[in-house]
Amino acid sequence: MPAPSRPASLFRLDGSAAETDLLTPLSPEQISADRPVDLPGTRGRLVAGAFRTEAPQWLQHAEALGGGPLDLPSTLPFAVLLVPRPPWTYAVTWGAGHLVLNDEHVEQGFGLRFGIRRLDPFDLGLVASAALDISARATQVSIPGGGDLSAFRLEPYGDLVHRLAGSADLTDLTYGRVTGKRYRIRVGTSLWAPLAKDPEAFLADLDAVGAVVDEPDEDSALRFISQTRPMDRHHPLVPELERQLAEALGGSDALGLAWPSSAANDAENAGSFRITGLGPGGPIHVPGRLELEHLTTRLGGIPVERRLKALRAGRITTCADEAGTEPTGAPLPAARWLVFETTVEHTRYVYHQSRWYRIGETYVAQMRDQVRDLLARKHVWPEVTWKPSGQPDDEHRYCQRVAALAPGYLCLDKDFASTPLHPRFELCDLLGPGDELIHVKWLGRATAASHLYTQALVSAEALHDEPEALAQLADKVSTLDRGRVLGGAPDTVVLAAAGRAWNVDELFTLSQVALLRLDRAVRSLRATLKFADIPHTAKQRHRRGGG
């Protein structure tokens, strides 16, 4: 008996857009067929052809090393079938057909929504995700024989899943009804699954897929995947979100500073920053640490309707020296250095790494409960008040004071360690009397906590995984306090903050995501995360960074 279905890639497009706008422009020589297709009760459109490529740019290099000429021009055949099913238009693609679709009208995450409702969480083959935090790390884990969800070690909060593959229940589709079997599908923006060959059954399959995607997901073990999603740049809510962002750029508690993933290390160790192209007024030189006010002071002087354009034109460069003459990285868009949060109709929206994300309110509430419990783990701090001096080495001065006034505390701030995996890092700012690894930061803004998390994680991993790190810590301890012997790898990591208390209400959503990640990582290293509130006097506000 011939198979009733064949696998193909299925996309869902905006049904209100003109059919001519759904596909990218194609030249006549690329098209071999463009014709209407009569289906039961509707009319579709089939476009087929091929992309012809000339010799690739690397051909000359390959010929030189390979000992002779190579004939490598090629063609990429494609076919796309557009099928109106109001309020959507479905697109079935074969070959390179996905390259023909106009991405502006493709529903992002359509396939994922089907997968969340029909994939077997005990038989997944692939999970691809990215971290929604300052690291923005991307991972792809494959288990050829299939595994349950726990085998992929997804974080319960902050993992942005964008592709899945695995065994699925397809009883809604012709394939499942006829064969009674499951099928290994792939989902992301599209759904790769068997679709019926018979025209009437094919349309029934499209309608069945749409019904699955639009049904509730309360009973799915994978529903957490849909709690955090990137927004399409053409989402109807984006103009309102960007209006709120533009207003906040003049200065707002909902706005924060966050290092771009590609510049996190350079930013942490920068001697200065150079800001260019950020509206009128010329370059801005920032010695020491970059603060949010360096951006909002300039942007606040620009009319609200022009702030976003100025932000996107601005560039920030990290420099090794305080004079700003030794760049350590490429200039990055200023928009990638900011994070912004707002709530619209009980849903949280986050602007991060130049992109908008939607975070469900239930998800936020669950996360806040966990963070509140986590912050209850307190480390008692000595009565040494941090009085800001306004100097770039303010943190170092405070650590030295604690070490001088509080018995058992040793200052290791700016005393760098080096290992094969971590060429230059701080083991801690202070070592406590019980060998606690203490990381100290003035949290002028909630987002500053993310940098503290990074420092703590690098140290904990190095001390757990690299004998050189533990040996260097022991040597530093015995040098600072003769006769004191480090009692093995420290099992307590303390985050000590001044400027604001450790309070869930004062942490950005992304900072909460990162904190839960850190706690899970520290526990996997057989250590405990604790928190300390440093007594302090408020900083005096003053304008920093010249124009």
Side-chain angles (χ1 to χ4, degrees):
M1 175 178 171
S5 309
R6 289 281 296 176
S9 293
L10 179 65
F11 295 79
R12 194 158 75 170
L13 314 180
D14 179 6
S16 64
E19 186 181 89
T20 53
D21 293 334
L22 297 178
L23 305 181
T24 59
L26 297 168
S27 62
E29 52 271 16
Q30 291 175 319
I31 300 173
S32 60
D34 185 352
R35 59 175 180 259
V37 177
D38 288 321
L39 297 166
T42 190
R43 169 167 282 198
R45 177 188 174 193
L46 177 71
V47 179
F51 296 110
R52 292 172 176 81
T53 63
E54 300 302 324
Q57 294 181 348
W58 46 261
L59 179 62
Q60 189 176 8
H61 191 194
E63 288 176 335
L65 297 177
L70 298 168
D71 185 17
L72 294 179
S74 63
T75 61
L76 292 173
F78 66 81
V80 177
L81 176 62
L82 298 176
V83 183
R85 304 300 277 177
W88 305 98
T89 294
Y90 286 90
V92 183
T93 70
W94 298 268
H98 62 284
L99 300 176
V100 180
L101 301 180
N102 183 347
D103 190 58
E104 292 188 5
H105 298 294
V106 174
E107 182 188 6
Q108 302 299 310
F110 157 71
L112 269 179
R113 293 173 62 191
F114 183 91
I116 287 168
R117 292 156 176 80
R118 290 296 181 268
L119 278 168
D120 182 349
F122 297 100
D123 191 18
L124 297 173
L126 176 144
V127 175
S129 63
L132 188 61
D133 59 19
I134 64 167
S135 71
R137 61 163 176 80
T139 60
Q140 178 172 305
V141 180
S142 298
I143 301 179
D148 64 31
L149 186 59
S150 63
F152 293 87
R153 297 190 63 78
L154 282 172
E155 296 284 355
Y157 298 100
D159 257 346
L160 188 68
V161 176
H162 49 84
R163 278 186 296 129
L164 293 168
S167 173
D169 174 6
L170 298 184
T171 52
D172 306 271
L173 305 183
T174 301
Y175 175 88
R177 289 197 306 273
V178 172
T179 68
K181 298 178 180 178
R182 290 174 174 262
Y183 196 89
R184 296 191 76 80
I185 66 172
R186 299 194 298 266
V187 299
T189 296
S190 65
L191 164 66
W192 187 84
L195 299 173
K197 298 175 184 177
D198 174 77
E200 191 165 343
F202 166 72
L203 292 180
D205 280 354
L206 296 189
D207 292 339
V209 168
V212 169
V213 168
D214 294 333
E215 73 184 22
D217 63 1
E218 284 84 356
D219 297 329
S220 171
L222 299 174
R223 73 173 300 216
F224 73 93
I225 290 172
S226 65
Q227 294 287 336
T228 303
R229 300 305 318 152
M231 296 180 68
D232 186 274
R233 63 182 182 275
H234 297 287
H235 190 284
L237 195 58
V238 167
E240 169 59 19
L241 295 175
E242 300 218 324
R243 182 195 66 77
Q244 293 188 30
L245 172 59
E247 290 186 353
L249 290 174
S252 166
D253 288 340
L255 191 71
L257 199 64
W259 301 153
S261 55
S262 59
N265 186 63
D266 289 338
E268 279 295 330
N269 298 300
S272 63
F273 296 80
R274 192 167 62 221
I275 306 173
T276 56
L278 192 69
I284 302 172
H285 170 232
V286 181
R289 292 195 68 81
L290 181 69
E291 302 287 354
L292 181 63
E293 287 75 14
H294 294 121
L295 303 177
T296 56
T297 298
R298 172 66 63 85
L299 292 167
I302 299 173
V304 173
E305 65 273 12
R306 301 213 307 263
R307 286 178 186 168
L308 280 178
K309 182 177 180 181
L311 176 68
R312 288 169 177 148
R315 295 292 183 271
I316 299 177
T317 306
T318 56
C319 299
D321 62 321
E322 287 197 4
T325 60
E326 301 174 18
T328 56
L332 295 176
R336 292 187 58 192
W337 296 75
L338 293 179
V339 61
F340 172 71
E341 292 189 8
T342 187
T343 300
V344 178
E345 295 181 354
H346 308 296
T347 300
R348 188 74 54 90
Y349 295 91
V350 174
Y351 184 76
H352 172 62
Q353 301 276 355
S354 299
R355 188 163 189 181
W356 287 102
Y357 295 86
R358 176 189 60 78
I359 304 178
E361 195 61 24
T362 301
Y363 182 83
V364 172
Q366 293 171 346
M367 182 168 57
R368 284 172 59 86
D369 288 343
Q370 289 199 30
V371 171
R372 188 178 289 107
D373 291 343
L374 179 58
L375 295 178
R377 296 186 208 149
K378 293 295 184 181
H379 172 82
V380 179
W381 195 253
E383 289 299 323
V384 181
T385 301
W386 187 335
K387 299 176 181 178
S389 66
Q391 299 302 312
D393 64 345
D394 200 31
E395 178 185 306
H396 183 64
R397 294 184 185 201
Y398 177 70
C399 290
Q400 287 180 317
R401 287 190 66 234
V402 173
L405 298 175
Y409 284 83
L410 301 179
C411 177
L412 277 76
D413 183 51
K414 297 188 181 297
D415 189 356
F416 294 97
S418 178
T419 68
L421 291 178
H422 302 94
R424 187 174 186 269
F425 71 102
E426 287 185 328
L427 291 160
C428 58
D429 296 315
L430 289 164
L431 190 73
D435 291 344
E436 301 93 344
L437 294 168
I438 303 172
H439 301 276
V440 175
K441 186 76 71 177
W442 184 283
L443 301 185
R445 291 268 172 183
T447 47
S450 297
H451 316 316
L452 187 62
Y453 306 158
T454 302
Q455 178 183 329
L457 181 57
V458 168
S459 167
E461 288 180 336
L463 288 167
H464 181 270
D465 299 333
E466 301 179 88
E468 302 95 331
L470 189 57
Q472 289 175 55
L473 178 59
D475 183 62
K476 293 175 189 295
V477 169
S478 62
T479 299
L480 290 170
D481 187 355
R482 295 196 179 279
R484 179 170 172 177
V485 178
L486 186 69
D491 60 6
T492 302
V493 176
V494 178
L495 303 184
R500 62 178 61 224
W502 285 111
N503 186 313
V504 67
D505 295 327
E506 297 198 42
L507 290 175
F508 271 37
T509 299
L510 294 190
S511 290
Q512 294 178 43
V513 168
L515 187 55
L516 291 173
R517 283 182 177 279
L518 175 62
D519 179 58
R520 179 168 173 172
V522 169
R523 283 189 284 114
S524 74
L525 300 172
R526 298 183 178 86
T528 301
L529 189 63
K530 292 186 177 182
F531 301 85
D533 295 319
I534 299 175
H536 63 275
T537 58
K539 282 186 177 181
Q540 298 210 349
R541 293 189 173 273
H542 59 285
R543 183 170 177 174
R544 301 178 60 185

